[in-house]
Amino acid sequence: MKSFRTLTNVLVSMVLLIVIWQAIVLIGGYNDSLLPAPLSVGKAVLKLLLDGTLWTHLQVSLLRFAAGYFSASITAIVLGLLLGRLPVLWGFVDPIVQVIRPVSPIAWSPFIVLWFGIGNAPAIVIIFLAAFFPVLLSTVTAVRKMDVTYLKVAQNLEIGRYHLFSKIILPAIFPFIANGLHIAVGTSWIFLVSGEMVGAQSGLGFMIVDARNQLRLDFVLAGIIFIGLCGLLLDRIIRLLERWMDKQWGIIRES
Amino acid sequence: MKSFRTLTNVLVSMVLLIVIWQAIVLIGGYNDSLLPAPLSVGKAVLKLLLDGTLWTHLQVSLLRFAAGYFSASITAIVLGLLLGRLPVLWGFVDPIVQVIRPVSPIAWSPFIVLWFGIGNAPAIVIIFLAAFFPVLLSTVTAVRKMDVTYLKVAQNLEIGRYHLFSKIILPAIFPFIANGLHIAVGTSWIFLVSGEMVGAQSGLGFMIVDARNQLRLDFVLAGIIFIGLCGLLLDRIIRLLERWMDKQWGIIRES
Amino acid sequence: GKTEGDSGHSSADSDLKTIKIGYLPITHAAPLYIEEELGKQHFKHFKLELVKFGSWPDLMDALNTGRIDGASVLVELAMKAKEQGIDLKAVALGHKDGNVIVASNDIHQVADLKGKKFAIPHKFSTHHVLFYEMLKKAGLQYSDVDVVELAPAEMPAALAEGRISGYVVAEPFGAKSVVIKKGKALFQSEEIWKDSVDCALVMRGEILNNHKEASREFITEYLKAGEKAELKDEEAKQILRKYMNIEKDVLDLSLQWISYGDLKLTEEAYEQLRQYMIEMGLSNNPPSFQDFVDNSFIDQVKG
Amino acid sequence: MGAGVLVEVSEVSKAYKAAGKNEQILSGISLQVKEGEIISILGQSGCGKSTLLNLIAGFDTPDRGTIYTAGIEVKEPAKRCVMLFQNYGLLPWRSVLKNVELGLLDLTEAERRSRALAYLKLVGLEDRADHFPHQLSGGMQQRAALARALAIRPQIILMDEPFAALDTFTRYYLQNELLNIHANEKTTILLVTHDIDEAVFLSDRILIMSAGPGQIRKEIPIHSSRPRDRGHSDFQHYRKLILDEFRLTGPQASEEYSI
Amino acid sequence: MGAGVLVEVSEVSKAYKAAGKNEQILSGISLQVKEGEIISILGQSGCGKSTLLNLIAGFDTPDRGTIYTAGIEVKEPAKRCVMLFQNYGLLPWRSVLKNVELGLLDLTEAERRSRALAYLKLVGLEDRADHFPHQLSGGMQQRAALARALAIRPQIILMDEPFAALDTFTRYYLQNELLNIHANEKTTILLVTHDIDEAVFLSDRILIMSAGPGQIRKEIPIHSSRPRDRGHSDFQHYRKLILDEFRLTGPQASEEYSI
Ligand SMILES: Nc1ncnc2c1ncn2[C@@H]1O[C@H](COP(=O)(O)OP(=O)(O)OP(=O)(O)O)[C@@H](O)[C@H]1O
Ligand SMILES: Nc1ncnc2c1ncn2[C@@H]1O[C@H](COP(=O)(O)OP(=O)(O)OP(=O)(O)O)[C@@H](O)[C@H]1O
Ligand SMILES: [Mg+2]
Ligand SMILES: [Mg+2]
């Protein structure tokens, strides 16, 4: 019932969007190679779907995304746990992180090429960079703001150092890390396009850049639609995971 | 006392960073035009500072940033307030937002050029796009998750529609919007570089891209340093504002 | 958001037509720099505004949507846009020759590139054609080498770190690797393809039609600037370095390879290019010489 | 409706949807509150006390039955019948004074200010007028909320476990204060609580509510003159009566108890 | 130290830095708890009850004075003296059973499980072993926390306002349960509360604490045999005694009160 209404909503709003878009094209009198009409884009979408191009690119992108995202998350969580428990060390690392974080991964690209070459690696590195900082910061913050009651309970029950991390700290902060992980999915997916601009010959980002180079804006828009949909899908998957976890952890968030 | 320690931390970590960097340059035997040594970058930084180039670019960037960021924030807050109170409408808008959000502003650049030309406008639009969605989503969420007690109080005291928005809803959700505004500063500053790549003849982003095209990686790094520092500064300013507001609102967050 | 330029302006108008020309900071656009630098004071029928771009796609977006009136751009990109229905005309060349195939020091002949990565700046570029022709002449298949598109600025670093084994691109990015001794010039472009067509000065049709006087003067001055550039004297180098901020030795080397003397795009050279584009599958129906090339201005000047 | 009856609840029922099925929360509740009375509704957690109060305040509508306050049928929340929330419902971004002024937006600025100050004085908070709620203790916050309610001069005040979050000492003190204020203002008060002592100390009548579905099981009038003495034997008598009612006295059998 | 004295606090003082200046929270506190006793510390909010308990549990160290539990000087938290926190301190991501097993990590898995189940049964939660804390009511959560503490078989249990967050009825019920369990297990209990009834109902001795700085003002031994009857006159006697001590009986003068 609820999902049915959501579906109707999505359909209605999509139809509305297409109508507005078509209207802009008609009223503005745009050349199809400058602003393609919905129909041309529809054709492009269909073509990409049918001739298998999409799947190849999608697969490559998802693999790169997974590689960058998961390696970033794991590194960031492990480092975050340590740095969160070692405030003195964090005092030194924090300024560096804070200065590096606001720099666009694009700005780094000369150095990324220097160290990581071209093709898969730079795309993965850029996704890594985009995911790393949100997860690191949310982990450190979570560790530092953790409810001290849990730590007190652990002390009181004389729980050892190893169990302290695995049974108390990690699970206690997991919901907060999850939030960081959620944000990271968004930011790193956004940087997919940038990542696949550095010498990659495949992937959704490359597909868009390539179509743009060929002045096929219909394919650019088709690519944008796929990127948007996949981003949405990834977001929803993470959100479901988060919900499930919140339930386990007894956190109740209204929809 | 505390700020003194912070300063020491910053200095120590900067020195450490420079030592590591110099070590990499020495050990890797990199050519200065591939990975500039700290000294060359220092010279570049000094040159940019002294010959006034930096100030011109910085000023332009900050103006663009301010234009994009504030217009995005205001639009997003106003729209967010309305959409948050009109769940049916939001049901239609939400899917569109969710699909557009994960798309990199870079992917849109052909269309941004089409509509907004080159120079200032596209940079501002890209910053706008980067800031708009975090603020919109956090405003809508804040309105929808707002403590119903406040609404009940307003009903009970027979407070009119206008005062309801200005005296109850807006202040009630402001701390949450502030969070969105904070995130938006980060993301939109990151996209400054992308924004200033399209036909801009000035700005920090242009400075980096131009230096890169001229193979002056020392200036690229100098630009990165300035972008990082400004990003940090902006973040701190917003954080101070947030603190001050939290205090007004009676929210206590440990540092 | 209109695609037309502000065609209402008459060239005789007191507020002069501003011609906006896009470029990338490369040696190949030298005539533009010189024209602006030397002519700025005494243009009669127009004002010149040069707009620097960071990449070819950004420049093309602006050109296609009429945000700039013309550009010194890879001619293939302009042809592609023409094919898509954008009204563009090539009125002169940007330069002649001056592209080199750079290879890392362990590459001694074309056959050594087999199985290696090789970078080109853009699919629709003369550099791509040069690369194709080089392989063909050496008897290699196109698929023998792994071609990647890479931003020109990243190429020297990629070569130095062995991420690619060679590249072909506009100057000064080739000279850079040679100067820092991370690579060598394997071929000059004329060794592969004589009279290769690379960057061209491309104008939007409505400018040429609606601002005839301005266009004529602009192109005349452009050709003069080309002659000045061809001198490659200290003054010219000074101007180039002002626009490109590169090391002196890199500039000197890249100037050795290039010529700006005769900037007319001939029909033979253009037909050769068309053939390559069809052969390489870059375009099914590249615009014809008559449609795309407008030599009327250059012919007028040359008399 | 009888004269002087300010709250009249007749045969009210209410069900909520929970986990798919309709759960009956209140079933056939009737009660009357006369002018100037203090009435307590005493019941265990979850028996539907807050639900009933919400219906009377007009925040929700009953499935069956009717509710009149001050002679007008309740359709929506109104100023004549003000609710004091469990968590005080102060707006944290407004000073105490501004909070009290919130219900007086239709007065001129000067009137608004003087009225608000007068009621802050009544609850003993005149020197905290410019503080923000988070700068006050829980007890002070509850007094500020009370001042806000009184300033509107409503005919009825509804209170949902007004002192539950306070510690025993503060609670005793505020109960005394409430009685003092009531003696001056004569506002009709309907309060909900799960604290037996509180009900006995404050009320003219205690309505004992039982759960599953919520019903009024018994009415206990307190015939003891105010101010009452918590240590007095009269007080103990009523206390014991209610404890017995809930079977909480004596060495208790560990019967299954729904907690 | 006398034989059978499990908690010995001698001349303990503690100050906290607040807003730049040192604030004395506890000053020269001494107390003893003997084996098997239930002792209540009764005091107003903010008088330093939790601080004192934290010192005894070893979460913080006193500025002056010494604390011994079970004959050992307290340097850090230890299993011999377990704290029940105000908000129960259950780990929300572990089932009730797993929570109880948390203190038993040094046992084998089988032992751990059987011991945990035994104590869950003792508190009447054996059928909720696989539930998560948030699936339980407040009262059940407190019982689970109690089971976790008991399962370690500590010599002393410290309780910080154990039932303050529960409604009156649940609170009464759990107080009864606690006495039943104490009768079986004979664990020494030191609890902190601001509820007079609770202190009278549970304790062998009540220590009345006053604030600014926190001191033990008076000790009231309760010579009434358990189980006690909340309605009985003995009970009322002690209740009145304490009310008088805090000057909370009688028609109260509106003296300035620190809330
Ligand atoms: N909006 C609602 N939707 C569904 N169920 C509700 C809603 N409001 C209350 N309930 C249910 O109605 C029952 C009674 O709730 P209510 O808040 O009235 O109890 P209460 O007596 O005030 O309890 P407490 O003393 O804990 O405040 C509870 O079981 C609760 O779960
Ligand atoms: N870590 C701390 N740092 C500074 N001040 C503290 C700290 N812990 C407690 N205090 C102060 O010490 C005083 C006593 O606090 P404590 O929590 O011991 O009171 P309490 O008697 O337990 O009160 P309650 O009944 O509200 O729980 C308070 O004024 C509090 O502000
Ligand atoms: Mg309630
Ligand atoms: Mg306490």
Side-chain angles (χ1 to χ4, degrees):
Chain A
M1 176 54 209
K2 201 189 150 203
S3 63
F4 172 77
R5 225 175 65 208
T6 315
L7 203 71
T8 330
N9 275 353
V10 171
L11 285 179
V12 169
S13 55
M14 288 304 145
V15 168
L16 231 105
L17 193 68
I18 289 173
V19 168
I20 294 173
W21 172 9
Q22 181 69 58
I24 293 176
V25 171
L26 286 179
I27 294 165
Y30 291 107
N31 184 315
D32 207 50
S33 60
L34 296 181
L35 181 67
L39 199 67
S40 332
V41 176
K43 272 187 203 149
V45 168
L46 225 67
K47 183 158 181 303
L48 289 174
L49 279 174
L50 294 182
D51 72 359
T53 327
L54 176 72
W55 307 117
T56 352
H57 288 311
L58 183 62
Q59 210 181 338
V60 174
S61 281
L62 285 177
L63 280 176
R64 284 180 190 146
F65 177 77
Y69 179 73
F70 287 112
S71 55
S73 303
I74 293 168
T75 326
I77 290 176
V78 171
L79 275 178
L81 280 175
L82 285 174
L83 291 171
R85 295 287 290 170
L86 301 169
V88 177
L89 189 57
W90 178 241
F92 295 118
V93 176
D94 187 33
I96 297 177
V97 169
Q98 295 298 346
V99 172
I100 294 179
R101 196 167 58 114
V103 179
S104 168
I106 300 170
W108 291 112
S109 68
F111 306 101
I112 291 178
V113 169
L114 183 63
W115 284 315
F116 302 100
I118 53 176
N120 278 325
I124 293 175
V125 169
I126 283 180
I127 292 168
F128 181 98
L129 284 179
F132 182 73
F133 292 113
V135 179
L136 180 74
L137 289 177
S138 60
T139 308
V140 172
T141 314
V143 172
R144 303 185 72 186
K145 288 196 182 171
M146 194 183 135
D147 190 339
V148 284
T149 310
Y150 300 146
L151 290 177
K152 282 184 169 181
V153 167
Q155 283 184 303
N156 204 167
L157 302 184
E158 296 180 17
I159 287 170
R161 178 168 284 274
Y162 168 71
H163 282 311
L164 183 67
F165 268 95
S166 68
K167 298 205 189 239
I168 311 282
I169 297 178
L170 193 58
I173 63 173
F174 217 80
F176 302 94
I177 299 183
N179 191 27
L181 289 173
H182 192 158
I183 294 175
V185 166
T187 52
S188 51
W189 186 253
I190 285 182
F191 278 102
L192 189 77
V193 178
S194 319
E196 290 180 340
M197 272 164 63
V198 186
Q201 301 300 304
S202 56
L204 290 175
F206 167 78
M207 197 172 97
I208 288 188
V209 173
D210 193 46
R212 178 177 167 214
N213 282 342
Q214 307 193 17
L215 294 178
R216 292 305 299 264
L217 295 197
D218 46 352
F219 281 91
V220 171
L221 267 179
I224 285 179
I225 292 173
F226 287 125
I227 289 215
L229 288 177
C230 285
L232 173 62
L233 217 72
L234 285 174
D235 185 85
R236 287 294 137 103
I237 291 171
I238 287 274
R239 197 186 283 190
L240 278 182
L241 282 177
E242 219 178 347
R243 284 263 169 82
W244 173 83
M245 212 169 43
D246 281 359
K247 226 167 129 188
Q248 283 294 312
W249 259 247
I251 299 166
I252 290 127
R253 302 186 200 193
E254 285 118 273
S255 83
Chain B
M1 175 57 207
K2 203 191 148 201
S3 64
F4 173 75
R5 225 176 65 209
T6 314
L7 202 73
T8 329
N9 275 352
V10 170
L11 284 180
V12 169
S13 55
M14 288 302 146
V15 169
L16 232 106
L17 194 67
I18 289 173
V19 168
I20 294 173
W21 172 9
Q22 181 68 58
I24 292 177
V25 171
L26 286 178
I27 294 166
Y30 290 106
N31 185 304
D32 205 51
S33 62
L34 297 180
L35 181 66
L39 199 66
S40 333
V41 175
K43 273 187 203 150
V45 168
L46 225 67
K47 182 160 182 300
L48 289 174
L49 279 174
L50 294 181
D51 71 0
T53 326
L54 176 73
W55 307 117
T56 355
H57 289 311
L58 184 63
Q59 210 181 337
V60 173
S61 281
L62 284 177
L63 280 177
R64 285 181 189 145
F65 178 77
Y69 179 73
F70 288 113
S71 55
S73 302
I74 293 168
T75 327
I77 288 175
V78 171
L79 274 178
L81 279 175
L82 285 175
L83 289 172
R85 294 286 292 171
L86 301 169
V88 176
L89 189 58
W90 179 241
F92 296 118
V93 176
D94 187 32
I96 296 176
V97 170
Q98 295 299 343
V99 172
I100 292 178
R101 194 168 58 113
V103 179
S104 168
I106 299 171
W108 290 113
S109 68
F111 306 102
I112 292 177
V113 172
L114 178 62
W115 284 313
F116 303 99
I118 52 176
N120 278 326
I124 294 175
V125 169
I126 283 180
I127 291 167
F128 182 98
L129 283 179
F132 182 73
F133 292 113
V135 179
L136 180 74
L137 289 177
S138 61
T139 308
V140 172
T141 313
V143 173
R144 304 185 69 187
K145 287 197 184 172
M146 194 185 137
D147 191 338
V148 284
T149 310
Y150 301 145
L151 291 177
K152 282 184 170 179
V153 167
Q155 282 183 303
N156 204 166
L157 303 183
E158 297 179 18
I159 286 170
R161 178 169 285 276
Y162 168 72
H163 282 311
L164 182 69
F165 268 96
S166 68
K167 298 207 188 237
I168 311 281
I169 296 178
L170 195 57
I173 63 173
F174 217 80
F176 302 94
I177 298 182
N179 191 27
L181 289 173
H182 192 159
I183 294 175
V185 166
T187 53
S188 52
W189 186 254
I190 285 182
F191 278 103
L192 187 77
V193 177
S194 321
E196 290 181 338
M197 273 166 61
V198 186
Q201 302 296 302
S202 56
L204 291 174
F206 165 80
M207 197 173 98
I208 287 189
V209 172
D210 194 43
R212 172 184 155 212
N213 278 339
Q214 309 196 356
L215 296 174
R216 294 302 300 261
L217 295 196
D218 44 352
F219 282 92
V220 172
L221 266 179
I224 285 180
I225 291 172
F226 287 124
I227 288 214
L229 287 177
C230 286
L232 173 62
L233 217 71
L234 285 174
D235 185 84
R236 286 295 140 100
I237 291 171
I238 286 275
R239 198 186 286 188
L240 278 181
L241 282 178
E242 218 178 346
R243 283 263 171 81
W244 174 82
M245 210 169 44
D246 282 359
K247 226 166 130 188
Q248 284 293 313
W249 258 248
I251 298 165
I252 291 126
R253 301 184 201 195
E254 286 118 274
S255 81
Chain C
K2 284 280 135 74
T3 52
E4 302 100 89
D6 40 351
S7 47
H9 277 266
S10 130
S11 53
D13 213 301
S14 59
D15 57 331
L16 290 173
K17 166 69 188 168
T18 300
I19 294 184
K20 288 188 184 173
I21 302 292
Y23 73 101
L24 256 62
I26 52 178
T27 319
H28 297 183
L32 283 179
Y33 312 152
I34 292 173
E35 177 175 8
E36 186 182 44
E37 205 57 28
L38 296 182
K40 216 184 297 180
Q41 320 304 335
H42 56 261
F43 294 140
K44 292 191 193 67
H45 301 289
F46 72 106
K47 280 190 272 188
L48 179 59
E49 183 184 336
L50 293 189
V51 184
K52 185 165 15 177
F53 285 87
S55 70
W56 293 121
D58 289 335
L59 183 147
M60 284 312 292
D61 283 337
L63 182 60
N64 293 336
T65 52
R67 300 300 176 172
I68 50 178
D69 304 314
S72 178
V73 63
L74 293 170
V75 69
E76 293 84 349
L77 278 174
M79 287 163 75
K80 192 73 194 171
K82 176 81 180 172
E83 193 185 339
Q84 305 281 340
I86 312 284
D87 181 15
L88 297 178
K89 294 269 191 217
V91 294
L93 285 174
H95 61 99
K96 275 199 155 178
D97 306 327
N99 287 309
V100 291
I101 302 224
V102 177
S104 61
N105 291 322
D106 58 340
I107 303 286
H108 303 291
Q109 55 193 38
V110 180
D112 294 345
L113 286 171
K114 225 172 170 170
K116 301 274 172 55
K117 279 204 169 78
F118 191 93
I120 57 170
H122 203 291
K123 204 189 254 177
F124 298 96
S125 65
T126 308
H127 313 98
H128 193 197
V129 177
L130 284 168
F131 166 74
Y132 169 83
E133 181 63 15
M134 174 184 78
L135 290 188
K136 204 166 85 175
K137 282 196 168 148
L140 263 66
Q141 292 296 308
Y142 184 81
S143 54
D144 285 340
V145 181
D146 188 5
V147 184
V148 295
E149 285 177 72
L150 201 58
E154 327 291 26
M155 289 183 186
L159 186 76
E161 284 298 299
R163 308 295 180 186
I164 52 177
S165 295
Y167 63 83
V168 53
V169 71
E171 285 304 310
F173 301 104
K176 178 79 188 179
S177 283
V178 177
V179 166
I180 64 171
K181 301 199 168 53
K182 298 289 184 186
K184 59 167 184 275
L186 199 58
F187 294 107
Q188 295 291 333
S189 54
E190 59 265 35
E191 295 174 55
I192 297 170
W193 169 15
K194 188 139 179 50
D195 280 335
S196 59
V197 180
D198 184 18
C199 290
L201 178 65
V202 175
M203 302 287 288
R204 289 184 64 84
E206 77 256 9
I207 300 296
L208 296 179
N209 293 332
N210 301 335
H211 301 277
K212 283 217 164 60
E213 271 310 304
S215 303
R216 185 170 300 125
E217 189 185 4
F218 167 62
I219 293 162
T220 308
E221 292 292 327
Y222 177 82
L223 294 171
K224 275 193 210 155
E227 279 157 22
K228 171 74 182 166
E230 183 60 15
L231 297 178
K232 297 174 187 171
D233 57 3
E234 263 322 301
E235 189 186 10
K237 283 181 184 173
Q238 207 72 49
I239 294 170
L240 258 66
R241 289 201 61 198
K242 188 172 159 195
Y243 282 78
M244 289 165 52
N245 186 28
I246 52 171
E247 291 103 334
K248 196 169 178 317
D249 38 358
V250 175
L251 180 66
D252 287 350
L253 182 60
S254 71
L255 280 178
Q256 275 174 33
W257 297 336
I258 204 165
S259 97
Y260 303 102
D262 176 13
L263 297 181
K264 179 167 174 177
L265 174 50
T266 61
E267 183 154 9
E268 306 86 80
Y270 183 77
E271 279 310 320
Q272 175 74 51
L273 173 64
R274 281 196 69 207
Q275 285 315 311
Y276 276 127
M277 286 184 73
I278 294 168
E279 195 179 325
M280 290 174 69
L282 296 179
S283 168
N284 297 326
N285 183 25
S288 70
F289 181 78
Q290 280 71 24
D291 281 350
F292 181 62
V293 182
D294 183 349
N295 274 340
S296 60
F297 297 96
I298 201 165
D299 290 340
Q300 255 174 19
V301 173
K302 299 204 153 181
Chain D
M1 195 188 305
V5 172
L6 275 190
V7 180
E8 167 104 54
V9 177
S10 332
E11 290 297 328
V12 158
S13 296
K14 178 79 190 171
Y16 275 126
K17 262 213 191 66
K21 61 177 199 282
N22 245 21
E23 208 188 341
Q24 195 69 26
I25 307 293
L26 301 178
S27 145
I29 293 215
S30 299
L31 64 88
Q32 287 194 341
V33 183
K34 295 198 200 68
E35 201 168 342
E37 270 189 323
I38 302 183
I39 305 293
S40 296
I41 298 174
L42 184 66
Q44 290 170 216
S45 183
C47 73
K49 304 184 296 295
S50 296
T51 306
L52 178 58
L53 226 55
N54 270 323
L55 293 178
I56 297 173
F59 295 125
D60 210 338
T61 45
D63 296 341
R64 262 173 298 119
T66 54
I67 299 173
Y68 286 83
T69 55
I72 304 166
E73 183 160 7
V74 176
K75 300 279 187 206
E76 56 189 1
K79 280 186 175 183
R80 66 180 183 277
C81 174
V82 172
M83 177 92 142
L84 280 188
F85 293 93
Q86 227 162 328
N87 43 3
Y88 317 136
L90 295 172
L91 306 181
W93 56 90
R94 305 196 118 212
S95 69
V96 169
L97 182 66
K98 288 259 167 207
N99 258 290
V100 177
E101 287 183 355
L102 198 66
L104 312 170
L105 291 179
D106 41 0
L107 303 185
T108 68
E109 213 177 303
E111 276 185 294
R112 191 155 65 214
R113 196 182 163 77
S114 76
R115 172 106 69 101
L117 280 174
Y119 280 94
L120 278 177
K121 191 159 181 191
L122 186 72
V123 299
L125 278 182
E126 68 274 33
D127 53 336
R128 307 290 168 126
D130 295 325
H131 284 56
F132 284 87
H134 64 97
Q135 298 172 317
L136 305 182
S137 71
M140 287 176 179
Q141 290 184 35
Q142 184 58 286
R143 285 194 280 165
L146 187 60
R148 185 172 71 190
L150 289 169
I152 309 171
R153 299 198 180 130
Q155 296 179 272
I156 306 131
I157 296 184
L158 307 174
M159 297 186 172
D160 194 353
E161 302 188 10
F163 310 122
L166 308 174
D167 76 295
T168 315
F169 304 97
T170 313
R171 196 184 308 154
Y172 284 178
Y173 176 67
L174 277 192
Q175 287 164 1
N176 292 331
E177 288 250 299
L178 184 65
L179 288 184
N180 287 338
I181 291 170
H182 179 255
N184 292 331
E185 299 275 319
K186 303 266 181 276
T187 321
T188 309
I189 296 176
L190 176 59
L191 70 88
V192 141
T193 182
H194 56 61
D195 183 332
I196 299 170
D197 285 21
E198 182 167 291
V200 175
F201 187 73
L202 295 176
S203 326
D204 294 307
R205 281 182 290 142
I206 299 177
L207 305 174
I208 292 184
M209 201 165 157
S210 61
Q215 278 170 317
I216 298 216
R217 195 209 293 175
K218 195 166 178 174
E219 177 179 325
I220 300 177
I222 310 282
H223 300 294
S224 163
S225 66
R226 295 200 189 95
R228 292 167 189 161
D229 183 342
R230 290 195 180 78
H232 195 271
S233 64
D234 253 17
F235 195 91
Q236 303 311 334
H237 161 74
Y238 287 112
R239 211 171 162 267
K240 192 157 166 20
L241 202 76
I242 296 167
L243 282 170
D244 284 342
E245 183 67 37
F246 285 100
R247 275 179 281 163
L248 280 167
T249 44
Q252 191 156 352
S254 222
E255 64 176 303
E256 200 39 65
Y257 195 87
S258 82
I259 40 173
Chain E
M1 193 188 305
V5 173
L6 274 190
V7 180
E8 167 104 53
V9 177
S10 331
E11 290 295 332
V12 160
S13 298
K14 179 78 191 172
Y16 276 126
K17 262 213 191 67
K21 62 175 198 280
N22 244 21
E23 208 188 339
Q24 194 71 24
I25 307 293
L26 301 178
S27 142
I29 292 215
S30 300
L31 63 88
Q32 286 195 340
V33 183
K34 294 197 202 69
E35 199 167 344
E37 269 190 325
I38 301 183
I39 305 291
S40 296
I41 298 173
L42 184 68
Q44 288 170 216
S45 184
C47 72
K49 304 185 294 296
S50 297
T51 306
L52 178 58
L53 226 54
N54 270 322
L55 294 178
I56 297 174
F59 295 124
D60 210 337
T61 46
D63 297 340
R64 261 173 299 119
T66 54
I67 300 175
Y68 285 82
T69 55
I72 304 165
E73 181 159 9
V74 176
K75 298 279 187 204
E76 57 189 2
K79 279 185 174 184
R80 65 180 185 275
C81 174
V82 172
M83 176 94 142
L84 280 187
F85 292 93
Q86 226 161 330
N87 44 3
Y88 317 135
L90 294 174
L91 307 181
W93 58 89
R94 306 196 116 211
S95 69
V96 169
L97 182 66
K98 288 259 168 211
N99 257 291
V100 177
E101 287 183 355
L102 197 68
L104 312 171
L105 291 178
D106 41 1
L107 302 185
T108 69
E109 212 177 304
E111 275 185 297
R112 191 155 65 213
R113 196 181 163 76
S114 75
R115 172 105 71 101
L117 279 174
Y119 280 93
L120 278 177
K121 191 158 181 192
L122 186 73
V123 300
L125 278 182
E126 67 274 33
D127 54 334
R128 308 288 168 127
D130 296 326
H131 284 53
F132 283 87
H134 65 97
Q135 298 171 318
L136 304 183
S137 68
M140 287 177 179
Q141 289 183 35
Q142 186 56 288
R143 288 194 278 164
L146 187 60
R148 185 172 71 189
L150 290 169
I152 310 169
R153 299 198 180 130
Q155 293 179 273
I156 306 130
I157 296 184
L158 307 173
M159 296 185 173
D160 194 354
E161 303 188 9
F163 310 123
L166 308 174
D167 76 294
T168 314
F169 305 96
T170 315
R171 195 182 311 152
Y172 284 178
Y173 176 68
L174 278 192
Q175 288 164 359
N176 291 333
E177 287 250 301
L178 183 65
L179 288 185
N180 287 339
I181 290 168
H182 179 255
N184 291 331
E185 298 277 318
K186 303 266 180 274
T187 320
T188 308
I189 295 175
L190 176 60
L191 70 86
V192 142
T193 182
H194 56 62
D195 183 332
I196 300 170
D197 286 20
E198 181 167 293
V200 176
F201 188 72
L202 295 175
S203 326
D204 294 307
R205 282 183 287 140
I206 299 177
L207 305 175
I208 292 183
M209 201 164 155
S210 60
Q215 278 171 315
I216 300 223
R217 192 207 296 175
K218 193 165 183 177
E219 176 178 327
I220 301 179
I222 310 282
H223 301 294
S224 163
S225 68
R226 296 204 190 93
R228 291 167 188 159
D229 183 341
R230 290 195 179 79
H232 195 271
S233 64
D234 251 17
F235 195 91
Q236 303 311 334
H237 161 73
Y238 285 112
R239 208 170 163 270
K240 190 158 167 25
L241 203 76
I242 296 168
L243 282 170
D244 286 341
E245 182 66 36
F246 285 100
R247 278 180 279 164
L248 281 168
T249 44
Q252 191 157 349
S254 224
E255 64 177 303
E256 200 38 63
Y257 196 86
S258 82
I259 39 174

